[in-house]
Each structure stands twice: as C-alpha cells, then as structure tokens.
Amino acid sequence: MRYLTILLVAALAAAVRDVADEDAPKYTFEDYIQDWGKSYPSHLDYNVHKNLFETRKQQIILQNADPTATWRAGFNQFTDMTDLEFKAYRGYNTRMGLVTKSEAIPVAPPTSSAIPASWDWRTVPGVLTPVKNQGQCGSCWAFSATECIESGFAIMQNATAPILSPQDVTSCTPDPQQCGGTGGCNGATCELAYSFVASSGIYYNQQWPYTATTGTCNPPAGQPAVSISGYVKLISNNYTDVINNVYLRPLSVVVAAGSWNIYKSGVYTCPTPGGTLDLDHGVQLVGYGTDPSGGDYWIVRNSWGITWGEEGYIRLKRYSNGASTWCWPDPTPMDGTGCPGGPPVVTVCGDCGIWYDCSYPTGCKPW
C-alpha cells in the first residue's frame, strides 16, 4: 500500500503540523511527505501525487483567502490522493440498499417546538467514544453502525459507552443481495449491520481489534459484549424527523463526502456539480447548532481520525425551511444508496444529502 497503516497514521496525529495561512504558499510537497509519512512506489507515482498536492494547495489558499467563506480548508492525509484513492475511504462503489421496513417500533420523538435550539452529544459525558479511523477500507457503514450502538447502549443503560468492534461487523455482516457491495471493505449498509448485530451481538474492540481489512468471520473466544433488538429507519428526506430524533440519540446517516478532502473547520456546504449529489459515505450525526457567521449546522462525526476536520468532526450547513429547495437528484445511486435493480436516479435532500438515509439501533443492552 502507498500509505502507512491506520495505526501509524494515528500515532503521527499529535506530530502533524497545523500549517498557518501565511505559511501555506511555502509548504512544499516534501514537507507534506515528511509530516504524513507518505511514500510512493515509482517516480511516476510521485509526480502524480505531487501535482495533485500542488492543485489542492492552491484550492486551500484560495478558500482561506475568501473573507465571505463559512469554512476553512487545510492539509490532511487526503491532500495528495487521486479520486480513486479517496473513494476507498468513503466506501465508494457501495450500494447501500434502502430498507423500507423498520425492525422495531420507534419511540415517538418530541415536536420541533419542544427541542432546544442547539444540541451536541459530545457534551453529554460517556455517550460518544473517541473518534476512530477506518483507514483505506470501505467500512464506513460498519463504523457508523458500531458508533450508534455504542451511543445507544450508553443512553439506554445509563452507562459509559463501550468501545465496540467495527471489525466484527466488517468481517461478519452477510450481504447476500449485494446491497452495499459485496460486504466488508467493499461496502454494505448500516441497516444490514444492525440486522447482523441483532442476531449475533457485537464484541468489544479489545476482543476483536480493527485491521482495516475485510478479514474473516472468526469470532474470538467468549461471548459478545452487546446486543440490540433491531433498528428504526427515519422518514426519508424529512428534516423534522431528523432533528427531532437526533435530540434523542445519535443517528447513522449517509452523505456525499466526495468534496471533504480539504475541509478543516467551519460550517461546510457541499457543492452540487451539475445540480446533483452523489451519496457515498456513512457517518454519525451527533447534534446541531447555529454559528454566528456560518448559520445553522449539523454536527457530524466522521471515521477518518482526529487529524481530519474539527478533531474528526465536520459541521454541515443545516437547511431548516423550504425543504423542496434543498433537494437534488443522485444520478449514481449505486455509489451510495441503491441496490441492484433499483431506480437509476433518486432524490436526496439536505446538505450533502444528509436527510435521505437515517437510522438508529434499538434495544441496546449487555449480551
């Protein structure tokens, strides 16, 4: 592999420099290689990535020079990656099948008028585990589901969230219809992950550490740590359902993350090239709020490590009125939200399509 393993990248996190705006023009590709521990197998490969680095460096400089911008760009592990390499971190080519039937009866959420103006599960002790890193494996779906099971356990059991094993889910979740790809690092769905854990439980991460590979379904000795009873899928493309439910618990959501490779901080708005969005990444929605300069936002936990974004999080623009205005076609649903034989185009709403496919586990308890 061209890049260091997830563990080494995580170890480097504290040492990676934060390049100030005034230093960005002088920040060289060699500086970047040293900071991020990159290596390339050939001279041609080196030049390809150097050219990409230089292009994105200019994008970073231009973005941060815009006095009207609501978000800031920065250098990270993706700055020199090709589109294909970056897609591997989003579970690209996954076909995240839409399960229309919930496997549990949802708890009625409060009305929008009864919820606070802002909410952040990071401020509630014990509900969220530390930010994780999926590495160069399309297991975002497994991380999103695992994180929501951790949070669901903490809320339902009034306990500190256990650190559970995304490797268990990645290696063992069956996908006979190839919704979400062929499983493992080739993609699956949060709903499939929840169905698997409902039937088989999930181990602690300490019992079954993550390897950033599909691996084999060979459970460790001993019993799983946590079980769930099923899951609930929210109304698709419904802002009210999303905000009312995230106040009660973190949610698994699917988003278009193809433009997130230079995000550093602030309230981000996804571009819609050609008036479309391409959903391709599973993440955890953990709250919402309002920024004095950036406006309303969602708080999203990613699985690319703490060196990316706002210590592993991104704030996405939160459109809260004129719902039909904030909808776009996704002409490539097989990249992120479609099953074989499904519709060729789907409509997705909310910034980065965040309202479209939202779910959460139910009945989280000790095994």
Side-chain angles (χ1 to χ4, degrees):
M1 292 177 64
R2 292 175 181 156
Y3 300 97
L4 297 182
T5 65
I6 177 178
L7 295 178
L8 184 51
V9 169
L12 286 172
V16 173
R17 77 178 79 180
D18 183 10
V19 180
D21 289 352
E22 61 269 21
D23 295 329
K26 299 176 289 184
Y27 188 61
T28 69
F29 187 49
E30 293 303 323
D31 293 331
Y32 177 76
I33 289 174
Q34 183 175 356
D35 284 348
W36 290 95
K38 299 290 186 85
S39 63
Y40 309 94
S42 69
H43 183 68
L44 176 61
D45 199 56
Y46 172 94
N47 286 336
V48 166
H49 288 83
K50 180 178 181 180
N51 289 337
L52 287 168
F53 169 85
E54 294 296 343
T55 296
R56 291 184 183 130
K57 182 171 83 168
Q58 291 307 310
Q59 292 173 344
I60 291 168
I61 292 171
L62 288 173
Q63 175 66 27
N64 293 344
D66 181 357
T68 66
T70 62
W71 65 279
R72 299 184 62 74
F75 299 93
N76 56 41
Q77 65 266 45
F78 306 118
T79 306
D80 72 328
M81 286 190 187
T82 65
D83 288 343
L84 186 61
E85 289 165 344
F86 184 42
K87 285 169 183 174
Y89 288 80
R90 310 192 311 268
Y92 178 75
N93 256 348
T94 63
R95 298 184 284 276
M96 303 186 79
L98 292 180
V99 181
T100 57
K101 182 184 178 214
S102 299
E103 295 189 351
I105 299 173
V107 176
T111 62
S112 295
S113 61
I115 66 175
S118 62
W119 185 254
D120 187 346
W121 281 107
R122 293 175 296 181
T123 66
V124 182
V127 171
L128 300 180
T129 56
V131 169
K132 302 178 176 71
N133 193 331
Q134 71 186 73
Q136 198 170 13
C137 167
S139 56
C140 56
W141 59 278
F143 276 77
S144 176
T146 298
E147 290 159 1
C148 283
I149 294 170
E150 293 169 342
S151 298
F153 183 94
I155 294 168
M156 294 178 202
Q157 301 301 321
N158 193 26
T160 298
I163 300 177
L164 301 176
S165 173
Q167 190 63 53
D168 180 355
V169 178
T170 301
S171 295
C172 294
T173 300
D175 189 5
Q177 296 180 337
Q178 296 192 3
C179 288
T182 57
C185 290
N186 293 319
T189 78
C190 297
E191 293 91 345
L192 285 171
Y194 291 144
S195 293
F196 164 71
V197 175
S199 64
S200 302
I202 182 172
Y203 287 85
Y204 290 118
N205 188 69
Q206 186 176 7
Q207 294 173 282
W208 200 338
Y210 186 64
T211 62
T213 64
T214 297
T216 58
C217 187
N218 185 22
Q223 293 185 332
V226 170
S227 67
I228 67 173
S229 61
Y231 68 92
V232 168
K233 187 172 177 60
L234 303 191
I235 302 169
S236 184
N237 290 333
N238 188 294
Y239 168 83
T240 301
D241 209 27
V242 178
I243 196 166
N244 287 353
N245 273 280
V246 76
Y247 171 59
L248 297 178
R249 82 282 288 174
L251 303 173
S252 289
V253 297
V254 182
V255 293
S259 62
W260 292 9
N261 54 346
I262 61 171
Y263 173 79
K264 180 179 180 181
S265 64
V267 179
Y268 185 77
T269 301
C270 267
T272 54
T276 65
L277 280 174
D278 180 11
L279 304 196
D280 57 6
H281 190 47
V283 290
Q284 187 185 35
L285 179 61
V286 301
Y288 58 90
T290 301
D291 183 271
S293 57
D296 294 344
Y297 59 79
W298 298 109
I299 306 168
V300 173
R301 173 185 177 177
N302 205 350
S303 52
W304 295 342
I306 62 171
T307 59
W308 178 87
E310 296 181 329
E311 298 185 341
Y313 290 81
I314 183 172
R315 286 180 290 158
L316 297 181
K317 183 71 175 177
R318 176 168 58 96
Y319 303 111
S320 56
N321 53 37
S324 62
T325 304
W326 317 118
C327 296
W328 298 269
D330 179 351
T332 53
M334 297 294 280
D335 285 357
T337 55
C339 276
V345 179
V346 295
T347 298
V348 299
C349 301
D351 192 60
C352 297
I354 197 169
W355 305 350
Y356 183 60
D357 187 1
C358 310
S359 58
Y360 64 87
T362 57
C364 305
K365 63 182 180 179
W367 178 263

